Amino acid sequence: MEPVKVGLLGLGTVGGGTVTVLSRNAAEIARRAGRGIEISHAAARDYDPERIQGLEAIGRIGSDAFAVVEDPEVQIVVELIGGYSPALELVLRAIENGKHVVTANKALIARHGNEIFAAARERGVMVGFEAAVAGGIPIIKALREGLAANHIEWIAGIINGTGNFILTEMRDKGRDFADVLAEAQALGYAEADPTFDVEGIDAAHKLTILSSLAFGVPLQFERCFTEGISKVGALDVAYAAELGYRIKHLGITRRSEDGIELRVHPTLIPERRLIANVDGVMNAVLVKGDAVGPTLYYGAGAGALPTASAVVADLVDVTRALTTDPNNRVPHLAFQPDELADTPVMPMEAVQTAYYLRLAALDQPGVMARIASILGEQGISIEAIKQKEPEEGQTHVPLVMLTHRVIERQMNEAIARIEALDSVQGEVTRIRMETLSG
Amino acid sequence: MEPVKVGLLGLGTVGGGTVTVLSRNAAEIARRAGRGIEISHAAARDYDPERIQGLEAIGRIGSDAFAVVEDPEVQIVVELIGGYSPALELVLRAIENGKHVVTANKALIARHGNEIFAAARERGVMVGFEAAVAGGIPIIKALREGLAANHIEWIAGIINGTGNFILTEMRDKGRDFADVLAEAQALGYAEADPTFDVEGIDAAHKLTILSSLAFGVPLQFERCFTEGISKVGALDVAYAAELGYRIKHLGITRRSEDGIELRVHPTLIPERRLIANVDGVMNAVLVKGDAVGPTLYYGAGAGALPTASAVVADLVDVTRALTTDPNNRVPHLAFQPDELADTPVMPMEAVQTAYYLRLAALDQPGVMARIASILGEQGISIEAIKQKEPEEGQTHVPLVMLTHRVIERQMNEAIARIEALDSVQGEVTRIRMETLSG
């Protein structure tokens, strides 16, 4: 059978990795897919031919991405440019031309996925985006197909390798956030502008996609609550460890009676949980289904070859499904497009979690009782409270508390009242806490 | 669209679970699959109607399994009887009648899969067996589709929950094998005849399937090396822990220059590895691909609802692919049937691993040197050697060694020579050791 012809947009890290994987494993991939998969036309503005293995197998390399999506020979367009523009225009034009699309662009899918999938449905083409979440881990396939029998209850994922690397180093070496971030930038694990990673925006893009797949709702990135790790202190990491917890930057989405929780924030989790032991740049996603119980998926969440692994898996999927009646294909968001639900995404104020609180209080009789009574008045029960040794020369001592679960609105009020006390110095550090047990 | 009609064989644990999941999550499953999935005809010799939720939704329940596979209305037959006969006859007959098949029967697939898949190919029908390996974890889908871009290098799996429960209890409580086995039987985690689980036969069935999917070779259960956990002592578990290792009953399959390793045996692995921390009845499979690196899949490996989760996922897959040209469907063993390789499965004697050795030696000068020189003569280098305290009243002391990697044949000869020494009492305990690092 004739090889499938692929048009490739972008020859950066992931684009180069895709060329390498398709060339290095060409024979094995064809044995799986039933036919060869060839890049017949690629476009890149700027790339280093010396650093990409397998480049010689590409039919034609130009600099005009629009020429690729207009190329009549191309059956599948692989978009690896990133960003919103011109990626969106290119993807929509490819679909309009009746071409299938594979992309690793999480920002594009999280923000414009609803529009892209509607266009694809209209034209009867497929859009693969396995590489958009957790790199090479086949988590989209797991949610969309492997767990299709389940009522998914919640998902918790470590889905940003940079953030996890920083938190792991902070714990292992007792170092501060800024210090580790600088090292991560030197090692190439973090971008020069680390905002997307450390402020949780990248994780929010990915979580938005996972949430839609799990719960059958449209993509709603703009409703995702996002808090980064820049305010997590070395002290908090150490105190959490003393209490038997690790701090991870988790994306959490959960179905509750009031709607869907969609939130990215630093989270204390019990150190016995497998996901608490996922360290360094690795990713892991924990999914709780009503039938299967908890399942976990672990692997490299970024990098040239791991991400290419997911891109090429999508290419094999599209190749295998080329002859399928479009109405019978696996739906983009796991549920059939006319079966999406309008379950609302809840505001963070309405979400219930447990909390770790740290504050600096005057070491005087009655202070702890005053704080505890504020919490009590707000309906918050305390699971543990620990007064630490004061640092030399300090008039205030660190006070660390774990609370039971409570609505975030109550906690916001409690924190405001505590911060207003004369005996309390500065702000209350608040890190949410989850048991991830069911 | 009309619901898909399913014929169900067996209403035992997994059959009952399948009925429950299909009924409880019917609406959600239909939203994913694009149409309803209904059990129109079931057959069971013996079942408890009180204990199965959703039974009332089944069109017709009889006792004749052959009547189900002959029922013209049935489009997909789900075989949940287990064993070889009449499961094989029923599955082949269903295929002959042009029906798709879904099964959870690992023994049947491991031993008769080649024949079943050939018949299915001939007739243009699908055979799903996600539930045959690791219960609800979608590991077959991950290998066959999610990692389709990769040259798979090796797989190591905890794929028998009973064995893992026993080893976990032995470690946590310092108890002996026989003692924990009796408890596992009382709890219902182990069968009255535990041979299949503790001797590794069940794991070998599953590993055989994973190996074919990974390496594109036919199923070759009869060539799988299998060693159970009944000879692992509480002492070994404790000594391994002192050295920084855990003992797990692993199924390992690896591609080497000389062929394919296919082996199930107790294995020391470094305690820092995520898979070393998979405890109790849980399963996990670690897959190393050349592009994606290591990925791990974790979840419940058995039980009514987790296994039903995989059965129903296969039903959704078949439903989604009903209109696909048979030549374009995902191939049963990941690779196209005429593209299977004849790479040989290696005999265990030719496999290279590291080893943990324990023996009882006379506490006299020169004994340790004699043993070390035998190992040296066989080309085996020692990574660690520890003489333990003798137990009260014993003339011999336990000697524990870790070796570097060596061909098993060399180790067999070394062990025979050491056991022949007058200064050594009884047999040498040998447990293989893997770093699972690359």
Side-chain angles (χ1 to χ4, degrees):
Chain A
M1 204 187 278
E2 273 284 285
V4 173
K5 307 286 189 190
V6 172
L8 177 62
L9 311 179
L11 282 170
T13 303
V14 179
T18 300
V19 172
T20 300
V21 169
L22 277 176
S23 123
R24 187 165 81 187
N25 294 344
E28 211 159 326
I29 291 167
R31 284 173 62 208
R32 291 194 179 98
R35 55 200 289 198
I37 298 177
E38 277 182 17
I39 302 174
S40 62
H41 193 170
R45 267 205 298 236
D46 193 23
Y47 66 98
D48 180 355
E50 300 295 311
R51 289 190 50 187
I52 303 178
Q53 185 201 329
L55 214 56
E56 65 287 351
I58 299 182
R60 174 180 157 207
I61 305 180
S63 59
D64 180 3
F66 281 93
V68 173
V69 302
E70 302 293 352
D71 183 337
E73 199 190 30
V74 165
Q75 297 168 273
I76 311 173
V77 168
V78 176
E79 185 277 303
L80 300 175
I81 299 174
Y84 302 115
S85 182
L88 178 61
E89 294 78 5
L90 286 163
V91 163
L92 290 177
R93 187 71 192 139
I95 290 170
E96 207 177 309
N97 288 337
K99 300 182 193 309
H100 306 285
V101 171
V102 171
T103 178
N105 192 333
K106 54 218 80 166
L108 183 71
I109 296 295
R111 278 204 190 258
H112 299 289
N114 298 322
E115 177 188 356
I116 290 168
F117 300 146
R121 186 188 184 197
E122 182 89 9
R123 248 346 231 109
V125 299
M126 294 175 263
V127 177
F129 51 100
E130 181 64 78
V133 182
I137 307 172
I139 181 63
I140 289 183
K141 184 170 283 288
L143 272 176
R144 192 158 57 180
E145 305 172 39
L147 304 180
N150 289 266
H151 178 83
I152 305 288
E153 297 172 0
W154 51 264
I155 295 175
I158 296 173
I159 45 182
N160 181 279
T162 306
N164 201 46
F165 171 82
I166 292 173
L167 289 173
T168 303
E169 288 287 298
M170 286 175 71
R171 189 196 72 221
D172 284 356
K173 316 217 167 118
R175 292 163 65 191
D176 262 318
F177 171 79
D179 189 18
V180 180
L181 174 61
E183 188 203 330
Q185 287 171 318
L187 285 170
Y189 289 162
E191 307 285 338
D193 175 3
T195 315
F196 256 51
D197 290 323
V198 305
E199 294 307 332
I201 302 161
D202 174 72
H205 285 143
K206 296 166 180 167
L207 184 70
T208 298
I209 297 172
L210 294 178
S211 182
S212 283
L213 292 167
F215 304 129
V217 295
L219 296 154
Q220 295 165 80
F221 171 68
E222 66 285 358
R223 304 232 176 125
C224 186
F225 172 85
T226 306
E227 183 180 302
I229 54 171
S230 53
K231 283 189 219 149
V232 176
L235 268 184
D236 298 312
V237 172
Y239 294 158
E242 282 175 30
L243 295 159
Y245 290 84
R246 301 231 168 125
I247 300 179
K248 292 289 179 190
H249 200 195
L250 291 189
I252 297 176
T253 184
R254 187 193 306 262
R255 173 147 45 182
S256 81
E257 282 184 11
D258 303 317
I260 289 165
E261 302 175 12
L262 189 62
R263 47 192 172 104
V264 174
H265 53 69
T267 316
L268 270 75
I269 46 179
E271 65 189 1
R272 299 177 312 280
R273 300 272 176 274
L274 210 54
I275 196 170
N277 294 284
V278 170
D279 287 332
V281 296
M282 300 307 275
N283 279 202
V285 181
L286 181 58
V287 182
K288 174 70 165 33
D290 72 331
V292 76
T295 55
L296 179 128
Y297 308 83
Y298 162 92
L305 296 184
T307 311
S309 170
V311 168
V312 174
D314 272 347
L315 285 173
V316 173
D317 262 12
V318 171
T319 301
R320 282 167 168 169
L322 279 177
T323 60
T324 310
D325 166 5
N327 291 320
N328 252 29
R329 289 184 185 133
V330 179
H332 293 112
L333 289 178
F335 292 77
Q336 301 292 329
D338 42 12
E339 291 285 357
L340 294 186
D342 57 1
T343 323
V345 174
M346 293 158 67
M348 193 62 201
E349 285 235 306
V351 168
Q352 205 179 55
T353 75
Y355 295 86
Y356 159 99
L357 303 175
R358 175 172 59 84
L359 52 88
L362 269 184
D363 191 11
Q364 284 178 354
V367 172
M368 200 191 275
R370 187 74 201 97
I371 292 167
S373 80
I374 291 177
L375 291 170
E377 285 156 28
Q378 297 292 141
I380 300 166
S381 36
I382 299 171
E383 187 191 311
I385 186 160
K386 267 195 167 184
Q387 184 176 307
K388 314 298 299 182
E389 288 299 305
E391 308 218 359
E392 228 182 78
Q394 299 285 327
T395 52
H396 291 71
V397 293
L399 201 63
V400 173
M401 284 170 281
L402 303 184
T403 77
H404 287 285
R405 290 166 63 82
V406 63
I407 302 281
E408 178 121 337
R409 187 179 303 110
Q410 296 294 102
M411 179 54 79
N412 290 346
E413 285 171 23
I415 288 177
R417 290 180 59 192
I418 292 170
E419 287 177 345
L421 293 176
D422 287 339
S423 48
V424 169
Q425 190 180 47
E427 291 187 352
V428 175
T429 295
R430 162 249 306 270
I431 305 178
R432 296 167 189 86
M433 186 163 84
E434 296 283 346
T435 58
L436 302 181
S437 62
Chain B
M1 203 187 279
E2 274 284 283
V4 173
K5 306 286 189 190
V6 172
L8 178 62
L9 311 180
L11 283 169
T13 304
V14 179
T18 300
V19 172
T20 300
V21 169
L22 277 176
S23 121
R24 186 165 80 187
N25 294 344
E28 211 159 328
I29 292 167
R31 283 173 62 209
R32 291 193 178 98
R35 55 201 286 197
I37 298 178
E38 277 182 16
I39 302 175
S40 62
H41 192 169
R45 267 205 299 236
D46 194 22
Y47 66 99
D48 180 354
E50 299 297 310
R51 292 190 48 186
I52 303 177
Q53 184 201 332
L55 215 56
E56 64 288 351
I58 298 182
R60 174 181 158 205
I61 305 180
S63 60
D64 181 3
F66 281 93
V68 173
V69 302
E70 302 293 352
D71 184 336
E73 199 191 28
V74 166
Q75 297 167 272
I76 312 173
V77 169
V78 177
E79 185 278 303
L80 301 175
I81 299 174
Y84 302 115
S85 184
L88 179 60
E89 294 79 5
L90 287 163
V91 163
L92 290 176
R93 187 70 191 141
I95 291 170
E96 208 177 311
N97 288 337
K99 299 179 193 311
H100 305 284
V101 171
V102 170
T103 177
N105 191 331
K106 54 219 82 167
L108 183 70
I109 296 296
R111 277 203 192 258
H112 299 288
N114 299 321
E115 178 189 355
I116 291 168
F117 300 146
R121 187 189 184 196
E122 183 89 9
R123 249 346 232 107
V125 298
M126 293 175 264
V127 177
F129 51 99
E130 181 65 77
V133 181
I137 308 171
I139 182 62
I140 288 182
K141 184 170 282 288
L143 272 175
R144 192 157 59 178
E145 304 171 40
L147 303 180
N150 290 265
H151 178 83
I152 305 287
E153 297 172 1
W154 52 264
I155 294 175
I158 296 173
I159 45 183
N160 182 278
T162 307
N164 201 47
F165 172 81
I166 292 173
L167 289 173
T168 302
E169 287 288 296
M170 287 175 70
R171 188 196 73 224
D172 283 357
K173 317 223 167 113
R175 291 165 64 190
D176 263 318
F177 171 80
D179 189 19
V180 180
L181 174 60
E183 187 203 329
Q185 287 171 320
L187 286 171
Y189 289 161
E191 307 284 337
D193 175 2
T195 315
F196 256 52
D197 290 323
V198 304
E199 294 306 332
I201 302 162
D202 175 73
H205 285 143
K206 295 166 180 166
L207 184 69
T208 298
I209 297 171
L210 294 179
S211 182
S212 283
L213 293 167
F215 304 129
V217 295
L219 297 154
Q220 295 165 79
F221 170 69
E222 65 287 357
R223 304 233 176 122
C224 186
F225 173 84
T226 307
E227 185 180 300
I229 55 171
S230 52
K231 283 189 220 150
V232 175
L235 268 184
D236 299 313
V237 172
Y239 294 160
E242 283 176 28
L243 294 159
Y245 291 84
R246 301 233 169 123
I247 299 179
K248 292 290 180 189
H249 200 195
L250 291 188
I252 298 176
T253 185
R254 185 193 306 262
R255 173 145 47 180
S256 81
E257 283 185 10
D258 303 317
I260 289 165
E261 301 175 13
L262 190 61
R263 47 191 172 103
V264 174
H265 52 70
T267 315
L268 270 76
I269 45 179
E271 65 190 2
R272 299 177 312 281
R273 300 272 175 275
L274 209 55
I275 195 171
N277 294 285
V278 170
D279 287 333
V281 296
M282 301 305 276
N283 279 204
V285 181
L286 182 58
V287 182
K288 175 68 164 41
D290 72 330
V292 75
T295 55
L296 179 129
Y297 309 83
Y298 162 92
L305 295 185
T307 310
S309 169
V311 168
V312 174
D314 273 346
L315 285 172
V316 173
D317 262 11
V318 170
T319 302
R320 282 166 168 171
L322 279 177
T323 60
T324 311
D325 166 5
N327 291 318
N328 253 29
R329 287 183 185 136
V330 180
H332 293 112
L333 288 178
F335 292 78
Q336 301 293 328
D338 42 12
E339 292 285 356
L340 293 187
D342 58 1
T343 323
V345 174
M346 292 157 69
M348 194 63 200
E349 284 236 306
V351 168
Q352 206 178 55
T353 75
Y355 294 87
Y356 159 98
L357 303 176
R358 175 172 59 85
L359 53 87
L362 270 184
D363 191 10
Q364 284 177 355
V367 171
M368 200 189 276
R370 186 76 200 94
I371 291 169
S373 80
I374 290 177
L375 290 171
E377 285 156 27
Q378 297 293 141
I380 300 167
S381 33
I382 299 171
E383 186 191 311
I385 186 160
K386 267 196 167 184
Q387 185 176 305
K388 313 300 298 183
E389 288 300 305
E391 306 221 358
E392 226 180 81
Q394 298 286 324
T395 53
H396 292 69
V397 292
L399 201 63
V400 173
M401 285 171 281
L402 303 184
T403 78
H404 287 285
R405 291 166 64 83
V406 63
I407 302 283
E408 177 121 337
R409 188 179 302 110
Q410 298 292 103
M411 180 53 80
N412 290 345
E413 284 171 24
I415 288 177
R417 289 179 60 191
I418 292 169
E419 287 178 345
L421 293 176
D422 286 341
S423 48
V424 169
Q425 191 181 43
E427 291 186 355
V428 175
T429 295
R430 164 247 306 267
I431 305 179
R432 295 166 191 88
M433 186 162 85
E434 297 282 348
T435 57
L436 303 181
S437 61

